[in-house]
């Protein structure tokens, strides 16, 4: 039985105080509510130096038994999953807990039949169809480590991720629908696999009914395989600290890193945050619009909702197809009660005009949420009034791929909300603001670097295959703290407002990219010598990508054809090495980059110019060639 959720501000405060005084007692009480084959030996072992964090070690469980099997008695006929297709006229799918359980077991048997076993890494590159959720859970069922790659990434990106984790299998589909477009997913996988000898099997789900290339002895159709398997599959018994999945995310260096989450702690944390932040009720229909390819989809489409016995809605399409009313139409169609989306979607639908929202009642909505980037006040108010009808609480949830689940957020209708403020730390989360030299700021109405000073069950354990990188990135900047990479401000009452990244990471429409990663991609284009990428404020995307590019042969500023040609080359290079989602919004050709005498690019200056602030660039005397700054200013797009 789940513990009572927090229902009042007083309960939140009491719970928070208790969680700081006795974190281990607090989290073991939560952990006690799950089905374990065997309870843990040690509830928590940690040091942030190495780092070494272990929750519930020695505990034996399988997360899918907690997502599925344990609900069968009481919720066997309850809807676990509703699937809404891209095309509103195509039939939607509903699966009860009993049906989802059976499908996961069958898929798990398909994995086993094809040689997968506990500990293997399996790459999933699929559209948002029920089989994606089923495939992910099937991996967890047999103890294989899933690595879901968002189906918008390029063949090169898939290959990099497969090679890094040495995946032995890929789960994919023939193609996918995205709005008006159809994309040949299998062809992208085939291209990636040319450089991935570790992959022995590919399981293909039919979505578009396209004829695709099937490599003999390697590729099999899911529908053929399903005919050959049993519907029972005992869950593999896992240690709480066995890895559950790897999810790649960008950092300040060129190469994305594989964030590793483990079975026990992640389970406890996603369930707890799901139930409390959204104030989920038994009969609710919950819809998170993220893609399963991102952490939001892992934690709040699949694991959190299913652990809590909720009904989760999975949407294949995009917010603007067939028109900008699609989200609102889906809410009315399925009676969605809790709706969780991203500021970038809110801003783009806001720009599409009110008529699209006013055409629907949205009466079923009770709670609305936001995630992925800071939400500006204007978008917050629009969301509150036109979607929430001034009746639904908004939860602005701050967290990261690395944190596994929501860290700072109000709890819907329980703790108060304030526009642009994620607000309150979850019980069990101890955030601090640090000065640049690592001193804790104790006063309110102050700004600092956001760190966390005590472990929580959902936190990352390592970066796959490179523990030192995990230490360096998150635990070395400030001794004894987990460093988030974000800056934040605490208001007079102690609410947190996230300001944004303080490292070389940019957040475009809620998607994270390292500037170095995009630069590497641009530098692949023929004729490019070097480049520097910065973020700049963008009305819809939050941040846009601004690239300064130096070419072998300088391009005359009035040669439109040459400029267009080179732009094309650069965009193509980015699409090939990362994917469409990382295409620069602006490209400025320059003859050089502002560098210090030691060769370091002065990004501060580039950022200012991209932001449109050219008057006050600060000290430029340390530059190797100060004249370059004037050229850049003059050529500003
Ligand atoms: C970065 C993490 C966690 C889900 C999706 C993104 C930014 C996330 C908020 C928010 C302000 C936010 C931060 C963070 N971010 N949520 N509510 N308010 N900023 O996951 O790709 O790991 O990115 O997204 O900058 O560090 P991610």
């Amino acid at each position: 039985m789940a513990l009572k959720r927090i229902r009042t501000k007083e309960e939140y405060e009491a719970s928070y105080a208790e969680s700081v005084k006795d974190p281990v007692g607090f989290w073991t009480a939560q952990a006690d509510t799950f089905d374990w084959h065997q309870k843990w030996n040690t509830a928590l072992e940690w040091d942030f130096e190495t780092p070494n964090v272990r929750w519930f070690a020695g505990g034996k469980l399988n997360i899918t038994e907690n997502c599925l099997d344990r609900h069968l008695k009481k919720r066997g006929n309850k809807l676990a999953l509703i699937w809404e297709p891209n095309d509103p006229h195509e039939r939607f799918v509903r699966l009860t807990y009993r049906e989802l359980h059976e499908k996961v077991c069958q898929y798990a048997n398909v994995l086993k039949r094809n040689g997968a076993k506990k500990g293997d890494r399996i790459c999933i590159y699929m559209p948002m169809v029920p089989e994606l959720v089923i495939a992910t859970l099937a991996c967890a069922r047999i103890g294989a480590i899933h690595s879901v790659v968002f189906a918008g990434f390029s063949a090169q990106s898939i290959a990099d991720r497969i090679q890094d984790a040495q995946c032995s299998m890929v789960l994919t589909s023939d193609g996918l629908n995205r709005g008006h477009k159809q994309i040949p997913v299998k062809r992208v996988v085939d291209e990636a696999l040319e450089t991935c000898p570790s992959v022995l099997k590919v399981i293909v789900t039919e979505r578009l009914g396209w004829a695709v290339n099937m490599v003999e002895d390697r590729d099999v159709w899911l529908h053929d395989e399903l005919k050959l398997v049993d519907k029972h599959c005992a869950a593999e018994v896992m240690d709480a600290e066995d890895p559950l999945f790897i999810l790649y995310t960008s950092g300040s260096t060129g190469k994305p890193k594989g964030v590793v989450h483990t079975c026990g702690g992640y389970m406890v944390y996603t369930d707890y945050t799901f139930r409390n932040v959204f104030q989920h009720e038994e009969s609710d229909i919950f819809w998170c619009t993220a893609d399963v390819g991102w952490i939001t989809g892992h934690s709040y489409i699949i694991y959190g909702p299913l652990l809590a016995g909720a009904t989760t809605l999975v949407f294949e399409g995009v917010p603007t197809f067939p028109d900008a009313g699609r989200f609102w139409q889906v809410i009315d169609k399925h009676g969605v009660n809790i709706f969780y989306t991203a500021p970038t979607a809110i801003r783009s639908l806001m720009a599409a005009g009110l008529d699209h929202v006013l055409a629907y009642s949205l009466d079923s909505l009770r709670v609305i949420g936001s995630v992925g980037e800071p939400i500006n006040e204007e978008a917050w108010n629009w969301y509150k009034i036109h979607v929430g009808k001034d009746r639904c609480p908004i939860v602005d949830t701050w967290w990261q791929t690395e944190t596994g689940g929501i860290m700072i957020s109000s709890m819907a209708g329980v703790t108060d909300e304030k526009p642009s403020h994620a607000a309150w730390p979850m019980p069990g989360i101890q955030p601090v603001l640090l000065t640049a030299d690592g001193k804790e700021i104790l006063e309110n109405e102050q700004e600092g670097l956001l760190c966390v000073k005590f472990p929580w069950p959902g936190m990352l354990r390592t970066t796959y295959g490179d523990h030192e990188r995990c230490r360096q990135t998150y635990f070395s900047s400030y001794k004894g703290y987990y460093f988030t990479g974000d800056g934040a401000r605490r208001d007079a009452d102690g609410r947190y407002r996230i300001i944004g990244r303080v490292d070389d990471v940019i957040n475009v429409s809620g998607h994270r990219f390292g500037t170095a990663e995009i630069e590497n991609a641009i530098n692949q284009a023929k004729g490019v010598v070097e480049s520097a990428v910065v973020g700049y404020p963008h009305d819809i995307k939050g941040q846009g990508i601004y690239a300064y590019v130096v070419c072998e042969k300088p391009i005359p500023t009035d040669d439109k054809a040459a400029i267009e040609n080179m732009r094309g080359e650069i965009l193509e290079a980015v699409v090939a090495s990362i994917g469409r989602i990382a295409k620069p919004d602006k490209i400025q050709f320059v003859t050089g980059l502002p560098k210090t005498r030691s060769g370091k690019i002065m990004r501060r200056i580039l950022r200012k110019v991209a932001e449109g602030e050219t008057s006050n660039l600060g000290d430029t005397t340390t530059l190797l060639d100060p004249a370059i700054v004037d050229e850049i200013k003059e050529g500003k797009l």
Side-chain angles (χ1 to χ4, degrees), residues 229-290:
V229 295
D230 194 74
K231 58 186 189 204
H232 301 284
C233 175
E236 188 74 37
V237 177
M238 307 294 285
D239 192 280
E241 279 298 326
D242 281 338
L244 173 62
F245 65 86
I246 305 170
L247 184 58
Y248 286 85
T249 192
S250 299
S252 351
T253 59
K255 198 172 148 245
K257 46 190 176 285
V259 167
V260 175
H261 285 287
T262 56
C263 297
Y266 178 80
M267 170 178 80
V268 171
Y269 197 65
T270 50
D271 170 76
Y272 179 80
T273 51
F274 174 78
R275 289 185 301 105
N276 284 287
V277 170
F278 300 105
Q279 292 287 301
H280 172 258
E281 302 277 0
E282 186 64 45
S283 62
D284 280 339
I285 307 235
F286 177 83
W287 181 18
C288 165
T289 69

Side-chain angles (χ1 to χ4, degrees), residues 28-41:
T28 51
Q30 297 300 332
D32 271 332
T33 65
F34 295 88
D35 282 356
W36 297 83
H37 286 266
Q38 185 188 304
K39 286 280 168 82
W40 48 93
N41 306 323

Side-chain angles (χ1 to χ4, degrees), residues 38 83 98-99 125 220 238 241 251 253 362 450 530 593:
Q38 185 188 304
W83 176 68
R98 200 176 312 287
E99 290 164 333
Y125 186 78
V220 294
M238 307 294 285
E241 279 298 326
T253 59
L362 306 182
L450 183 61
E530 63 172 340
L593 297 169

Side-chain angles (χ1 to χ4, degrees), residues 62 111 116-122 135-147 168-169 236 238 243-245 263 303:
N62 185 290
L111 294 177
K117 52 183 195 315
K118 178 176 177 173
D120 288 357
R121 280 79 56 217
I122 297 184
T136 305
L137 291 166
C139 289
R141 185 97 183 159
I142 66 164
I145 303 167
H146 54 78
S147 166
S168 57
M169 223 185 245
E236 188 74 37
M238 307 294 285
L244 173 62
F245 65 86
C263 297
Y303 289 110

